[in-house]
Amino acid sequence: MFYVSKISPLFFLLAILNLLFSLFLKLYPIGVPFFIPLVFGFVGTTLVGAMYQIIPNSQNRKLSLPWLSYVVFLGVLLSQLSFYTGYTLEGSGLLFLSYLIFSLHLLANVKNWMPVTVKFLGVSAIYLLLSSLLLFLHFWKAYVPLQLAVHTMTLGAMLNAVYGVEIAWIPMLLMETLNVRKAVRLFYAKQLSTLLMLLSFFFLSYRAIALSALLELGVALYYLYLIYSLLIQRRMPSPLPYVVRMFLLALFFLPFGILMGVAGASNPDLLTIVFTLHIDLLVYGFTAFTIFGGMAHLLPRIVWNWFFSSGSKENAPAIGELIDEKGFPRFMELSAVAFFLFLFADVLFSPLNRLSPLLYLFILLYFFRLTFAHLIMKLREVKHGGSEGS
């Protein structure tokens, strides 16, 4: 790993706290909708942290002016504190300024746009900025629908980033080769489907939303086909890496979440229950489990290169020891069961649906224990071991 983004772990931790806060808001609504910290706090913050690590390494160069990443983190933190205290206009304005600095800072460091992953991430950064601008315009004078800002983040920023990163990581982890032409085809198809979807949300035409969502579903199925083709061409019979298994678990929820969106747009009378399933499957399901896998892959590598890549490696642990890798198969089994119970509970009538955040809290705390808590414990062991050895 050529460049280590020391700010990325802070973005990841803030993202997890936002996910936790969204569960609190589902239990105790206090003004701000729960999907604001969920989408703009959890998803957006993760994307910023991940791209600060991935983009410089895709260019084989260090990030210029790295202190700007700390300015971005402070702005994002203050914006989310503003959201939580009811200052949505101020919070959205701060978020837009933070993402503007982030986008200009990051994209200025891109010199090679040829890799399709870089194309995906570059477009993702643009949609990230656009989503915050649309959110500000909504809270300012309701110039645009809130649904447009939310889907610009999810469909535009998040899905482009996921597709772009996974078509690089999954072949690498499987030691297989992805057909580049098919990946480029996916990129352009994704841009078309996203543009049509966002135009439909701008005009709030439910028929257009349903039709464009079917195209988005087609793009998602094509992506799943690309991943499936990688799996069936594997030449090595070894077990799938835990990160790939996390991604595959997440991808299971993607088409069903999009179908819920099609159903809701086709029949607005079903919108309440379908909206619940739509956001649960796509954000708490597909996006969250993808992010869990991505964090589990990035976090130990960032920390290892930060603390142990230079100097004496006498007390340096293996990268895999910094998180509890052996605990992930069990985590996936239990969290899959807990997530399906969460889905069921979330569509029940009140007050039974208030059980759903508690079920998801189990998933979140379990993941936190395997990653952040285990990492802190391992670093303390290394520190004490080094002190005793000296």
Side-chain angles (χ1 to χ4, degrees):
M1 187 175 291
F2 179 75
Y3 174 74
V4 176
S5 171
K6 297 178 181 179
I7 197 64
S8 290
L10 290 179
F11 275 109
F12 294 159
L13 181 59
L14 181 59
I16 293 296
L17 292 176
N18 276 298
L19 181 56
L20 176 64
F21 194 70
S22 76
L23 297 175
F24 173 80
L25 289 177
K26 285 174 74 70
L27 274 175
Y28 304 104
I30 56 173
V32 61
F34 76 94
F35 54 83
I36 295 296
L38 177 63
V39 172
F40 292 92
F42 173 55
V43 178
T45 304
T46 301
L47 291 178
V48 173
M51 281 194 267
Y52 264 134
Q53 177 61 34
I54 296 171
I55 288 290
N57 284 284
S58 74
Q59 305 296 299
N60 289 319
R61 63 200 305 261
K62 294 181 178 180
L63 186 71
S64 63
L65 304 175
W67 59 269
L68 276 176
S69 63
Y70 293 88
V71 174
V72 173
F73 178 79
L74 179 61
V76 170
L77 176 61
L78 292 176
S79 73
Q80 291 166 10
L81 290 174
S82 299
F83 282 132
Y84 300 157
T85 52
Y87 294 97
T88 52
L89 178 60
E90 293 81 357
S92 58
L94 275 170
L95 191 66
F96 170 66
L97 290 175
S98 301
Y99 284 173
L100 178 62
I101 297 171
F102 163 74
S103 301
L104 295 175
H105 183 211
L106 195 70
L107 296 180
N109 283 268
V110 178
K111 304 303 179 185
N112 179 14
W113 287 99
M114 290 301 295
V116 68
T117 293
V118 178
K119 289 184 173 72
F120 269 115
L121 290 176
V123 170
S124 174
I126 293 170
Y127 276 121
L128 192 73
L129 176 61
L130 180 60
S131 68
S132 63
L133 174 60
L134 294 171
L135 188 68
F136 173 72
L137 292 176
H138 171 79
F139 285 126
W140 185 24
K141 289 188 178 180
Y143 283 126
V144 296
L146 181 58
Q147 298 96 315
L148 176 61
V150 169
H151 285 86
T152 302
M153 174 66 79
T154 54
L155 288 171
M158 181 268 295
L159 265 182
N160 271 292
V162 170
Y163 290 169
V165 169
E166 288 189 355
I167 61 174
W169 284 9
I170 292 179
M172 175 189 67
L173 292 168
L174 296 180
M175 291 183 286
E176 298 291 343
T177 303
L178 180 70
N179 187 304
V180 177
R181 289 184 179 179
K182 291 181 179 179
V184 172
R185 195 177 302 154
L186 171 72
F187 172 76
Y188 287 110
K190 172 59 183 159
Q191 305 323 307
L192 175 61
S193 65
T194 302
L195 178 61
L196 292 176
M197 280 288 291
L198 297 183
L199 285 174
S200 302
F201 276 106
F202 179 79
F203 294 106
L204 271 185
S205 169
Y206 286 108
R207 179 175 297 180
I209 291 172
L211 291 174
S212 54
L214 286 174
L215 178 59
E216 189 69 43
L217 176 62
V219 174
L221 292 176
Y222 181 68
Y223 173 71
L224 293 176
Y225 155 74
L226 293 182
I227 300 302
Y228 175 73
S229 66
L230 283 172
L231 295 173
I232 62 173
Q233 75 184 29
R234 290 181 70 212
R235 295 181 295 271
M236 299 184 64
S238 56
L240 290 174
Y242 74 96
V243 175
V244 175
R245 282 183 279 171
M246 284 291 295
F247 288 159
L248 295 178
L249 173 62
L251 286 171
F252 175 80
F253 304 117
L254 177 60
F256 297 105
I258 296 176
L259 281 173
M260 289 298 103
V262 175
S266 303
N267 189 350
D269 293 336
L270 299 175
L271 200 53
T272 301
I273 187 170
V274 167
F275 167 77
T276 300
L277 289 173
H278 176 64
I279 198 166
D280 284 352
L281 286 164
L282 285 184
V283 186
Y284 284 113
F286 163 69
T287 303
F289 282 98
T290 301
I291 287 173
F292 291 162
M295 283 187 184
H297 181 73
L298 279 180
L299 189 63
R301 284 155 179 80
I302 292 172
V303 173
W304 196 93
N305 281 274
W306 183 356
F307 288 99
F308 306 112
S309 62
S310 60
S312 174
K313 296 183 176 62
E314 181 180 350
N315 296 311
I319 290 179
E321 293 178 6
L322 292 177
I323 62 170
D324 186 4
E325 284 190 354
K326 295 180 180 178
F328 269 89
R330 184 64 172 166
F331 165 71
M332 283 183 278
E333 293 173 3
L334 295 179
S335 60
V337 173
F339 182 73
F340 282 111
L341 292 174
F342 162 78
L343 285 178
F344 176 73
D346 214 24
V347 296
L348 294 176
F349 55 85
S350 182
L352 293 180
N353 60 357
R354 296 170 72 85
L355 293 173
S356 64
L358 300 178
L359 290 165
Y360 201 90
L361 183 62
F362 164 78
I363 300 173
L364 181 56
L365 293 180
Y366 199 160
F367 173 75
F368 185 86
R369 183 179 71 82
L370 293 178
T371 51
F372 290 92
H374 188 88
L375 174 63
I376 293 170
M377 180 184 68
K378 194 67 183 180
L379 290 176
R380 291 184 65 181
E381 286 180 3
V382 171
K383 179 181 179 181
H384 294 324
S387 299
E388 292 171 3
S390 61

